[in-house]
Amino acid sequence: MIELEGVVERITYYNEENGFTVAKITVKDNDDLITAIGYFHCLEVGEVLKLRGNWTIHKDYGHQFKVEFYETIMPATVRGIENYLASGVIRGIGPTMAKKIVKEFGEKTLEVLSNSPEKLLSVPGIGEKKLKMITESYSQQQETRDIMLFLQEYGIGPNVAVKIYKNYKEKSIQILKQNPYRLADEVYGIGFKTADYIAQKMGMERDSMERLCAGLKYAVVKAADEGHVFMPLEELLYKASELLSVEKEPLNQAFLALEEKKDIVVERAWGREDVYLAAFYYSEKAVARRLFLLAAMIDEPLEITDETINEIEKCCNIRLAKRQREAIEKAAQHGVLVITGGPGTGKTTTIQSLLEFFKKQELKVALAAPTGRAAKRMVETTGVEAKTIHRLLEYNAYEQGGMAFGKNQDDPLDEDVIIVDEMSMVDIILMHHLLSAVRPGARLILVGDKDQLPSVGPGSVLREIIESDKIPVVVLDEIFRQAQESMIIVNAHRINKGYFPYINVKDKDFFFEQVLLPEDILETILEMTKNRLPNYGDFDPLEDIQVITPMKKGLVGVANLNDKLQFLLNPPSRRKKEYHYRACVFREGDKVMQIKNNYDKEVFNGDLGRIVRIDDEDVVIVSFADAWQEREVAYQGQEIEELSLAYALSVHKSQGSEFPVVIMPITTSHYVMLQRNLLYTAVTRAKKLIVLVGTKQALTIAIQNNRSLRRYGHLSDRIIDEFSQAIFRDGSI
């Protein structure tokens, strides 16, 4: 086995799921730049590594060093020190500042930081405020040194070490030695696989109770990530057994231990045993109960007459369809109402009419939506203030990355009517918080398209409320004449019914281009974005055109499309500053998406923005469009991991947004994701034009495949039980 030592210059590829990395490393002594491949955990540019492995030859990429073992050592050379400081480990120091500091102090840089930090004042750009930030951060780094050295034995880099230290401080090593699996529960950004990797390196037995409990809990969490509210017991044991490579028998004891600690709740009902994370169990029960209470405790029904409807039509300058009139009548009578319908069926007009009706009744109304972009659309279409659900509920961040809401059952919203749009995007946890904040007697109106993809979070809330058949539902099913002119809307409904769309109708807005090979599909999408569509309709490639794709991986997956589109639409330039984070380059002018809720910054998963500048301190400033205004949010150091490029989005991430032009690859290489509701959701993201690029075979497969994954959840059953018990007790509701 060969041993090398070198500095990480850049990370070409990093797989977050399993840690597989392709990195460029400058080898000590001869300065050769080599390609190293292997499984690294949170590798950072600037780290100095000692590698053990063997040379291999790849048929496409040539010589590569396959790493079997590695350890991190502190930098000793000027270049190593600069790269280390530039990695963002120390607040206030990025690539630009690192270069200045090392230019001033050379090999004595770390000594200056440790013993004479006041000397940094001689570096241009460092004043008293910046010095304090750097000194405090470096002091923290000194404190984390022991844990970093401790973790090096187990192949764990400084990025993870800092996260561990921030959580446990001086108790870090003690806790790791006792039970490294606590990391998966308690440290954001460290999952079970990383904790298991550390534990195995530390010699923990594969059948230890700590490992079995952590693996079982991870299997439930992973199911939640896939949208399930619970897991059937037998399926959970099977998945955990497979994950941990152990027999089912020893898992039974771990299962009982988790239940005793109340980390999980096991419900034995409906002839089955179902395993919940505690928060999901109590949320699902609470949602069903609150829906019943809101339905049962409504204030007096409001009077509505033909004259009332006529006045609404006159004020809104519209002619209401039969179902829209029904929606207003039921909103007047009931405490909870669901309004659902596809594109072009008048959901927006119905909301406007409801606003006018409640205004005449002198009732106070709140409009809300799950995302900032959806709330902004409500503002644009109604002219009335709308908020994200989080803002409506006055969220508050607290330590350990959690959140609480200012509005809840102890301090409910004072509005008389709450109208929530894009309900298909609301998961079970958010629904629980929303319902907790609606006062008894108030009205709740839920608007959404039941046929779109369900929420990213666990549950199928809208669908299960409708399926319960206990809450009044109005289905808007008439496509209005103006909407009938749009092939986007006509074809969305055809796709939803399982029919092949009308394609390439002259002077219309729905196009399909037959391209067979993924590499040719990629080139076609790039050419369309850059040249063909801007020339066809004067569309701006950055502002108007959005590429949406079913998959994350592959030639026409999110990751590769983002790389290619970034280079095409926002290429490197001396006039544009860049920030390198792992394998990603963020550049001034880039389209980006927030991929994690950040309650401190008031930005949420799915929010889209543009990088407006990167300052001399390597702070990345992103402009986000709020419901009412543009606002700027700053990201520094490891905070950048909350952003991803957004030239291409997954269909799931595009939910709640609309774009003038949508381009979507549709190929059999995305076979597992070719589903009718996914295609339907993608098509309905486009306002003016959609272009599908791929094969008719793939399009046909997607349309015919209506077997979307059924999420495990019992909300519908619980709603039925709540209403049934009320009838049993009282004889009536």
Side-chain angles (χ1 to χ4, degrees):
M1 195 170 285
I2 300 167
E3 188 170 292
L4 300 175
E5 187 176 315
V7 178
V8 179
E9 297 291 346
R10 67 178 183 274
I11 297 167
T12 307
Y13 174 80
Y14 177 72
N15 185 320
E16 292 188 6
E17 292 182 8
N18 59 18
F20 181 76
T21 305
V22 180
K24 295 294 185 181
I25 294 176
T26 301
V27 178
K28 184 181 177 183
D29 298 330
N30 60 18
D31 284 344
D32 284 347
L33 187 67
I34 68 164
T35 300
I37 61 170
Y39 294 89
F40 296 82
H41 288 261
C42 301
L43 198 63
E44 298 286 349
V45 171
E47 286 188 69
V48 181
L49 304 178
K50 187 176 287 185
L51 309 172
R52 289 170 60 194
N54 293 291
W55 289 103
T56 62
I57 299 178
H58 190 280
K59 63 183 180 67
D60 294 323
Y61 303 113
H63 284 83
Q64 296 179 330
F65 190 74
K66 186 177 181 181
V67 179
E68 302 294 341
F69 174 82
Y70 79 98
E71 60 178 308
T72 305
I73 57 180
M74 292 301 288
T77 66
V78 169
R79 174 186 278 187
I81 293 169
E82 181 182 328
N83 286 337
Y84 174 72
L85 296 180
S87 68
V89 172
I90 299 171
R91 287 187 67 233
I93 302 179
T96 304
M97 186 56 68
K99 190 180 292 292
K100 292 179 182 179
I101 293 172
V102 172
K103 183 179 179 181
E104 183 79 12
F105 302 110
E107 293 180 357
K108 294 184 178 181
T109 297
L110 297 182
E111 182 183 331
V112 168
L113 283 165
S114 298
N115 304 321
S116 312
E118 68 279 358
K119 291 183 179 180
L120 293 174
L121 291 170
S122 64
V123 178
I126 296 182
E128 292 290 347
K129 186 177 178 181
K130 174 64 74 71
L131 175 64
K132 184 180 179 184
M133 181 192 297
I134 293 172
T135 303
E136 288 177 354
S137 183
Y138 189 70
S139 175
Q140 185 184 75
Q141 291 303 309
Q142 292 289 78
E143 292 176 5
T144 65
R145 183 72 184 276
D146 285 344
I147 187 173
M148 290 172 72
L149 293 172
F150 176 78
L151 286 173
Q152 281 173 27
E153 300 175 33
Y154 310 109
I156 304 300
N159 185 37
V160 174
V162 169
K163 290 178 180 178
I164 294 171
Y165 177 79
K166 282 181 178 178
N167 212 71
Y168 300 125
K169 299 294 190 290
E170 68 280 354
K171 295 181 180 178
S172 296
I173 293 176
Q174 175 190 341
I175 287 171
L176 280 171
K177 287 180 176 178
Q178 288 175 349
N179 182 9
Y181 291 103
R182 284 181 60 178
L183 301 177
D185 277 346
E186 299 169 359
V187 182
Y188 172 75
I190 298 180
F192 169 78
K193 290 185 178 179
T194 299
D196 194 40
Y197 176 87
I198 295 171
Q200 297 296 301
K201 286 282 189 176
M202 293 174 68
M204 186 165 280
E205 295 294 332
R206 294 181 64 80
D207 59 353
S208 68
M209 186 57 62
E210 292 86 355
R211 183 170 188 266
L212 298 181
C213 285
L216 264 172
K217 192 169 180 182
Y218 172 72
V220 184
V221 170
K222 195 162 180 10
D225 290 341
E226 294 169 358
H228 301 296
V229 180
F230 68 82
M231 279 286 280
L233 176 58
E234 281 305 310
E235 188 173 340
L236 171 64
L237 292 175
Y238 172 78
K239 286 184 179 294
S241 171
E242 202 173 47
L243 169 74
L244 298 167
S245 299
V246 298
E247 296 297 321
K248 287 185 184 179
E249 190 60 35
L251 287 170
N252 289 323
Q253 190 176 350
F255 176 77
L256 293 173
L258 282 176
E259 189 175 10
E260 188 175 338
K261 284 170 57 184
K262 302 192 185 314
D263 283 352
I264 59 172
V265 174
V266 184
E267 184 169 52
R268 296 169 176 90
W270 298 292
R272 51 195 293 168
E273 288 183 287
D274 297 322
V275 184
Y276 290 78
L277 290 173
F280 298 157
Y281 174 75
Y282 294 114
S283 289
E284 193 176 70
K285 288 192 71 172
V287 166
R289 182 64 179 162
R290 296 290 295 187
L291 283 171
F292 165 71
L293 291 174
L294 287 171
M297 299 174 68
I298 183 62
D299 293 338
E300 289 296 315
L302 302 172
E303 183 180 354
I304 187 164
T305 63
D306 288 341
E307 185 180 346
T308 307
I309 296 291
N310 292 336
E311 287 178 8
I312 292 171
E313 290 180 328
K314 186 176 180 180
C315 289
C316 297
N317 193 27
I318 55 172
R319 182 72 176 171
L320 291 171
K322 178 182 176 182
R323 295 296 187 190
Q324 291 175 315
R325 294 170 69 100
E326 181 187 347
I328 297 173
E329 290 164 358
K330 287 192 173 180
Q333 298 165 2
H334 298 281
V336 183
L337 173 66
V338 173
I339 301 172
T340 185
T345 57
K347 293 192 295 294
T348 297
T349 303
T350 304
I351 291 174
Q352 291 172 327
S353 303
L354 288 167
L355 286 170
E356 185 62 32
F357 171 65
F358 291 125
K359 178 182 174 183
K360 291 182 181 299
Q361 303 295 322
E362 298 183 349
L363 296 181
K364 190 175 179 183
V365 181
L367 297 183
T371 67
R373 291 182 72 87
K376 186 180 181 183
R377 281 214 323 277
M378 290 186 84
V379 173
E380 292 168 349
T381 55
T382 65
V384 176
E385 180 184 16
K387 298 178 180 178
T388 62
I389 296 173
H390 288 88
R391 286 211 180 139
L392 179 70
L393 302 184
E394 298 177 7
Y395 64 82
N396 294 294
Y398 58 82
E399 290 184 1
Q400 283 85 47
M403 66 174 178
F405 290 98
K407 292 297 179 183
N408 50 43
Q409 61 187 16
D410 298 323
D411 183 15
L413 297 163
D414 61 2
E415 282 84 359
D416 305 299
V417 183
I418 315 294
I419 301 177
V420 183
D421 198 9
E422 294 287 358
M423 260 303 298
S424 62
M425 298 179 66
V426 177
D427 63 33
I428 194 69
I429 297 291
L430 186 56
M431 188 64 174
H432 167 49
H433 287 296
L434 173 64
L435 292 179
S436 296
V438 180
R439 67 169 179 81
R443 284 173 166 77
L444 178 66
I445 299 173
L446 308 175
V447 183
D449 186 343
K450 64 181 176 59
D451 295 315
Q452 283 196 25
L453 288 171
S455 57
V456 174
S460 301
V461 174
L462 178 63
R463 182 178 290 274
E464 288 208 65
I465 290 173
I466 293 171
E467 285 177 354
S468 74
D469 204 25
K470 296 298 181 183
I471 303 295
V473 177
V474 175
V475 180
L476 303 177
D477 52 11
E478 179 183 336
I479 305 177
F480 289 93
R481 185 177 302 170
Q482 185 178 355
Q484 289 174 1
E485 296 298 311
S486 167
M487 282 296 108
I488 292 173
I489 291 175
V490 170
N491 282 334
H493 286 274
R494 287 184 64 81
I495 289 166
N496 201 30
K497 293 175 182 176
Y499 302 136
F500 200 84
Y502 301 120
I503 57 176
N504 303 336
V505 179
K506 187 178 178 182
D507 298 327
K508 293 296 183 180
D509 51 13
F510 193 107
F511 294 94
F512 174 85
E513 182 147 337
Q514 176 88 356
V515 183
L516 299 180
L517 300 176
E519 50 265 39
D520 294 332
I521 293 174
L522 174 63
E523 290 305 315
T524 302
I525 289 173
L526 296 178
E527 176 63 18
M528 279 187 171
T529 306
K530 178 70 173 176
N531 298 313
R532 287 172 57 183
L533 290 179
N535 291 335
Y536 171 79
D538 195 27
F539 298 117
D540 185 286
L542 281 170
E543 295 294 336
D544 299 329
I545 300 174
Q546 182 63 55
V547 177
I548 295 175
T549 182
M551 297 282 282
K552 292 181 179 179
K553 299 176 183 178
L555 273 177
V556 286
V558 173
N560 191 53
L561 278 166
N562 267 318
D563 286 344
K564 302 298 184 187
L565 287 164
Q566 181 194 41
F567 186 81
L568 186 72
L569 302 178
N570 190 31
S573 166
R574 291 181 181 179
R575 297 189 300 274
K576 296 176 185 175
K577 291 183 179 178
E578 297 181 349
Y579 188 95
H580 293 250
Y581 185 77
R582 295 186 182 165
C584 191
V585 177
F586 292 97
R587 187 174 297 128
E588 289 178 337
D590 275 339
K591 291 171 67 172
V592 292
M593 171 177 273
Q594 178 79 14
I595 57 174
K596 170 185 176 288
N597 288 340
N598 187 315
Y599 303 98
D600 288 325
K601 296 182 186 295
E602 299 186 18
V603 284
F604 302 100
N605 190 351
D607 284 353
L608 292 168
R610 290 281 290 274
I611 296 177
V612 290
R613 64 184 180 280
I614 301 173
D615 67 20
D616 290 336
E617 298 175 359
D618 297 299
V619 177
V620 178
I621 310 296
V622 180
S623 176
F624 289 98
D626 210 334
W628 290 96
Q629 62 184 3
E630 297 275 337
R631 64 189 191 89
E632 295 184 351
V633 179
Y635 296 80
Q636 189 172 23
Q638 293 180 2
E639 292 175 343
I640 204 77
E641 71 184 2
E642 296 179 9
L643 294 176
S644 69
L645 293 176
Y647 297 95
L649 301 175
S650 69
V651 179
H652 284 85
K653 288 291 188 183
S654 72
Q655 275 187 277
S657 299
E658 285 184 346
F659 310 96
V661 180
V662 167
I663 306 174
M664 178 180 170
I666 184 152
T667 165
T668 51
S669 64
H670 289 167
Y671 184 82
V672 295
M673 295 299 290
L674 293 180
Q675 298 168 355
R676 185 185 298 174
N677 63 346
L678 184 138
L679 176 62
Y680 173 77
T681 300
V683 167
T684 55
R685 299 309 91 208
K687 291 194 292 185
K688 295 182 179 179
L689 184 69
I690 186 166
V691 184
L692 303 179
V693 182
T695 66
K696 289 184 179 179
Q697 180 189 11
L699 183 56
T700 302
I701 290 170
I703 293 166
Q704 292 178 347
N705 180 13
N706 201 27
R707 300 183 303 276
S708 55
L709 176 67
R710 178 73 185 186
R711 295 182 167 192
Y712 290 125
H714 281 314
L715 179 59
S716 179
D717 297 320
R718 295 189 195 284
I719 294 171
I720 293 168
D721 278 1
E722 286 288 345
F723 279 79
S724 300
Q725 287 172 24
I727 294 172
F728 178 77
R729 287 194 299 266
D730 307 328
S732 63
I733 296 179

